[in-house]
Amino acid sequence: MRALVTGGAGFIGSHVADALLARGDEVHILDSLATGSLEKVPDGADLHEGDIRKDAARLFEEVRPEVCFHLAAQADVGTSVERPDYDADVNVLGMVRVLEAAREHGAHLVFSSTGGAIYGECDGPAPETHPRQPISPYGISKLAGEEYIFGWNRLFGSHHVVLRFANVFGARQEPSLEGGVVAIFLDRMQAGESTTIFGDGEQTRDFIYVGDVVRAVLAAGGHEGGVYNVGTGVEKSINEVHEACRRVTGDDREPEYGPARAGDVLRSVIDPSLAGRELGWRAEHDLDSGLRETWASMTSSA
Ligand SMILES: NC(=O)c1ccc[n+]([C@@H]2O[C@H](COP(=O)([O-])OP(=O)(O)OC[C@H]3O[C@@H](n4cnc5c(N)ncnc54)[C@H](O)[C@@H]3O)[C@@H](O)[C@H]2O)c1
């Protein structure tokens, strides 16, 4: 397959590009390097440095991809609060430009959306039909992106797929971006520095290992339409994640506690059963085994 990965110089996109190369695909990456970096781009992938907002049409014309994995985004909640116009520009306008280019060239699109930022507070594992109540500009812009996909599928008969990721963790995640609590904990522990938990640490999230996410993305590349949660269905509190990080790293320090962050939801967990039934996908890593893989790659590249 000739594949285009937008955001392929970023955390998840670079793992997707790795997996596509491993199965023998021709891999092109469109990335502005806004948060991504050259070091993450795998050998063998063709990097086209550019912006989805202005370069998507030209690149689709040049590459003519059969499938496009759209992972480029403004993916930081804090940035979306500070600069909602920039967030919407990339995540809505940029998304529409990619969608239009895909329509023009008959490419299949897989769109990376978010469960946590769209469902808001959850009583238990949220299915895809859970009320959508984003509580950040980021959640709103991702939801808008989804609606464009669904609308284009209705209007133009395309079969693009939306994947709603839970909290993804793994190698190459930037500790400087606020979403990756695992990356932050492991980075501090590796540096021998103290760690801080905001609030009482009993807030829960659904942590999914990046290798599992990549398998879901690849499965969606050959699937016709639909919206699927990509998570474990298992809630872990931040205190539990901290303990698990200490187990894996051998760090013996207790965390410090800071004030709760405004707008932090208490429970966020998504139900992956539909992806199990229709994509034949389920997570293979639990938190501990995913952390071991992540830590092994951090320490082997240190
Ligand atoms: N990491 C998570 O836990 C998580 C959870 C849910 C959804 N997602 C989604 O997964 C996707 C990948 O996220 P990530 O965690 O790898 O983030 P990331 O920031 O590492 O990757 C995003 C990539 O997009 C690129 N980019 C940003 N703006 C661009 C633009 N205008 N044109 C071209 N490239 C641009 C960045 O340089 C970066 O390489 C995003 O769509 C994000 O919304 C991530």
Side-chain angles (χ1 to χ4, degrees), residues 121-267:
E121 199 68 57
C122 304
D123 297 333
E128 288 78 358
T129 50
H130 186 275
R132 301 169 314 164
Q133 42 207 13
I135 52 163
S136 66
Y138 168 69
I140 296 169
S141 65
K142 283 296 196 174
L143 188 51
E146 288 192 0
E147 289 298 340
Y148 274 99
I149 295 258
F150 302 141
W152 256 233
N153 283 352
R154 280 193 303 275
L155 291 168
F156 304 112
S158 50
H159 301 283
H160 303 319
V161 179
V162 171
L163 298 179
R164 291 181 180 152
F165 302 159
N167 286 60
V168 189
F169 72 95
R172 300 184 213 146
Q173 187 168 30
E174 290 296 331
S176 55
L177 296 173
E178 46 121 57
V181 65
V182 166
I184 294 169
F185 286 164
L186 294 182
D187 183 63
R188 296 272 159 82
M189 289 176 186
Q190 187 173 35
E193 290 169 6
S194 62
T195 45
T196 303
I197 290 176
F198 297 107
D200 66 4
E202 287 306 300
Q203 63 273 39
T204 64
R205 300 288 180 271
D206 180 341
F207 290 93
I208 177 97
Y209 180 60
V210 69
D212 284 325
V213 171
V214 167
R215 286 190 304 101
V217 170
L218 262 52
H223 190 78
E224 298 227 321
V227 52
Y228 300 99
N229 285 339
V230 176
T232 65
V234 177
E235 276 170 274
K236 293 283 181 188
S237 72
I238 303 302
N239 287 326
E240 288 175 306
V241 171
H242 192 275
E243 261 174 50
C245 288
R246 283 173 57 185
R247 270 198 300 281
V248 165
T249 60
D251 187 270
D252 58 1
R253 282 198 239 200
E254 294 293 330
E256 291 169 8
Y257 284 86
R261 290 192 301 195
D264 236 4
V265 297
L266 293 179
R267 294 180 70 190

Side-chain angles (χ1 to χ4, degrees), residues 10-21:
F11 163 46
I12 303 171
S14 66
H15 287 277
V16 170
D18 271 342
L20 292 169
L21 287 165

Side-chain angles (χ1 to χ4, degrees), residues 2-164:
R2 215 165 31 255
L4 174 62
V5 183
T6 71
F11 163 46
I12 303 171
S14 66
H15 287 277
V16 170
D18 271 342
L20 292 169
L21 287 165
R23 74 172 193 193
D25 284 5
E26 177 183 324
V27 179
H28 296 264
I29 287 175
L30 173 59
D31 200 301
S32 65
L33 305 181
T35 54
S37 62
L38 289 176
E39 299 80 66
K40 289 185 185 150
V41 174
D43 289 343
D46 199 348
L47 172 67
H48 307 259
E49 196 176 327
D51 194 306
I52 51 168
R53 291 168 290 179
K54 58 182 181 52
D55 300 311
R58 178 187 55 75
L59 192 65
F60 270 76
E61 179 66 39
E62 187 185 319
V63 167
R64 299 186 178 264
E66 292 152 277
V67 58
C68 171
F69 300 95
H70 181 41
L71 292 126
Q74 189 306 107
D76 188 61
V77 173
T79 302
S80 82
V81 173
E82 282 160 27
R83 300 176 60 200
D85 52 343
Y86 168 63
D87 178 82
D89 206 26
V90 175
N91 291 355
V92 183
L93 190 62
M95 157 73 202
V96 172
R97 299 249 156 91
V98 170
L99 190 53
E100 273 295 85
R103 180 168 76 91
E104 176 96 354
H105 295 282
H108 178 66
L109 198 66
V110 177
F111 175 57
S112 55
S113 187
T114 158
I118 281 184
Y119 298 135
E121 199 68 57
C122 304
D123 297 333
E128 288 78 358
T129 50
H130 186 275
R132 301 169 314 164
Q133 42 207 13
I135 52 163
S136 66
Y138 168 69
I140 296 169
S141 65
K142 283 296 196 174
L143 188 51
E146 288 192 0
E147 289 298 340
Y148 274 99
I149 295 258
F150 302 141
W152 256 233
N153 283 352
R154 280 193 303 275
L155 291 168
F156 304 112
S158 50
H159 301 283
H160 303 319
V161 179
V162 171
L163 298 179
R164 291 181 180 152

